[in-house]
Amino acid sequence: MKRFATLALTCALAATPLYAQNVATVNGKAIPKAEVDEFVATLVQQGAKDSPELREEIKQELIGRAVLVQAAEKSGIEKQAAVKQELEMARQSVLVRALMQDYLKKNPVKDADVRAEYEILKKQEAGKQEYKVRHILLEDEAQAKKVLADLKAKKTTFAEAAKQSADPGSAARGGELGWAPSDAYVPAFSKAVETQKKGELSAAPIKSDFGWHIVLVEDQRALQFPSFEEAKPQLEEMMRQSKLEEYQQSLFKAADIK
């Protein structure tokens, strides 16, 4: 009897790690702990904090999915043409995303390359000016002329007049657009910014595809190029996208497409 009790205990202990590998079973189908771990790792990369509460939330989410997926499979809905097409499209999307991630992992953007690109861009921007500009955007020329005349006659302030601007973003800031090089604007606007003197209103309303602008150049200075640390994240992303574009083009060229 003692021998059988010992054997039963040994079997139970041997089976424990197997059960520990699963967080739950739904209708006899296991949900592996590894699946929860992968889910947690993804969320942690996105800024979440690993915790018992997070893991329990994920566990319940996976249980809920399992219940619904099993019901869908039991009903045979996955055999419907539209569903099969969506599943295939989802499979393709996952594969393409994984392929791109794998390529970048094997061909990362190097810090030295980012630094070199930064220096090239910085050299290109050397000597450029940037301008602190306000504007009021109006729908028709007559209205723009009236507002401009009132400003020149000092019947109103620029900030007050800007409240009627068709550009809601700058209107809330008294027409302020902040600092930017002139080429950040559409051509007609850009030309006005470059030719107007500091503190000067536009001589006449300026027409663009957006309407009629009244422009005030408040100040100008040498272009303040961002530091490498400030520019690095954006440059890295730009260079990653460039790498992926080149990789995709190489795949298209190598493919036998008829």
Side-chain angles (χ1 to χ4, degrees), residues 118-255:
Y118 172 81
E119 294 299 336
I120 290 171
L121 293 174
K122 186 176 180 180
K123 187 175 181 180
Q124 289 175 348
E125 298 297 314
K128 284 189 176 182
Q129 295 287 304
E130 62 179 352
Y131 305 82
K132 187 179 182 184
V133 176
R134 290 179 186 260
H135 88 133
I136 302 170
L137 176 62
L138 300 161
E139 294 181 357
D140 63 76
E141 186 178 13
Q143 183 187 16
K145 284 182 175 179
K146 172 67 168 61
V147 172
L148 181 58
D150 288 346
L151 285 168
K152 289 185 175 181
K154 300 189 183 303
K155 293 181 178 180
T156 185
T157 64
F158 203 95
E160 187 64 30
K163 291 179 181 178
Q164 58 190 302
S165 177
D167 176 7
S170 64
R173 301 188 299 273
E176 187 173 332
L177 295 174
W179 288 95
S182 60
D183 57 13
Y185 306 113
V186 294
F189 196 110
S190 174
K191 184 177 179 180
V193 168
E194 290 176 350
T195 55
Q196 285 179 210
K197 295 179 181 178
K198 177 180 173 179
E200 186 178 74
L201 280 166
S202 29
I206 299 152
K207 190 177 187 308
S208 78
D209 292 339
F210 303 100
W212 295 85
H213 304 263
I214 297 170
V215 178
L216 170 63
V217 177
E218 292 191 306
D219 205 352
Q220 75 177 83
R221 66 187 183 190
L223 180 65
Q224 305 294 297
F225 202 72
S227 67
F228 176 69
E229 289 71 24
E230 292 170 326
K232 185 179 178 181
Q234 187 175 351
L235 281 175
E236 281 181 325
E237 181 58 26
M238 179 185 74
M239 294 174 74
R240 277 194 291 267
Q241 293 303 319
S242 180
K243 271 182 174 286
L244 291 178
E245 179 64 27
E246 290 174 4
Y247 177 51
Q248 291 178 53
Q249 290 303 319
S250 70
L251 292 177
F252 289 143
K253 289 178 181 179

Side-chain angles (χ1 to χ4, degrees), residues 10-100:
T10 302
C11 289
L13 290 173
T16 299
L18 180 62
Y19 287 114
Q21 291 174 4
N22 300 323
V23 294
T25 58
V26 179
N27 297 322
K29 187 173 182 179
I31 297 178
K33 179 177 178 296
E35 195 170 342
V36 174
D37 292 340
E38 290 175 9
F39 213 139
V40 169
T42 300
L43 293 178
V44 167
Q45 287 179 349
Q46 296 171 0
K49 184 177 180 181
D50 190 351
S51 68
E53 292 78 14
L54 177 63
R55 288 179 172 273
E56 180 60 26
E57 185 178 340
I58 291 170
K59 173 186 168 182
Q60 294 304 320
E61 170 71 16
L62 293 175
I63 289 172
R65 288 187 187 185
V67 169
L68 296 175
V69 168
Q70 288 178 25
E73 291 172 342
K74 187 176 180 180
S75 71
I77 201 170
E78 63 183 350
K79 296 178 182 178
Q80 294 180 7
V83 175
K84 288 172 70 174
Q85 184 179 17
E86 284 193 52
L87 287 171
E88 176 57 22
M89 292 298 293
R91 186 186 75 86
Q92 291 180 18
S93 295
V94 170
L95 287 174
V96 169
R97 184 170 63 252
L99 177 67
M100 297 299 108

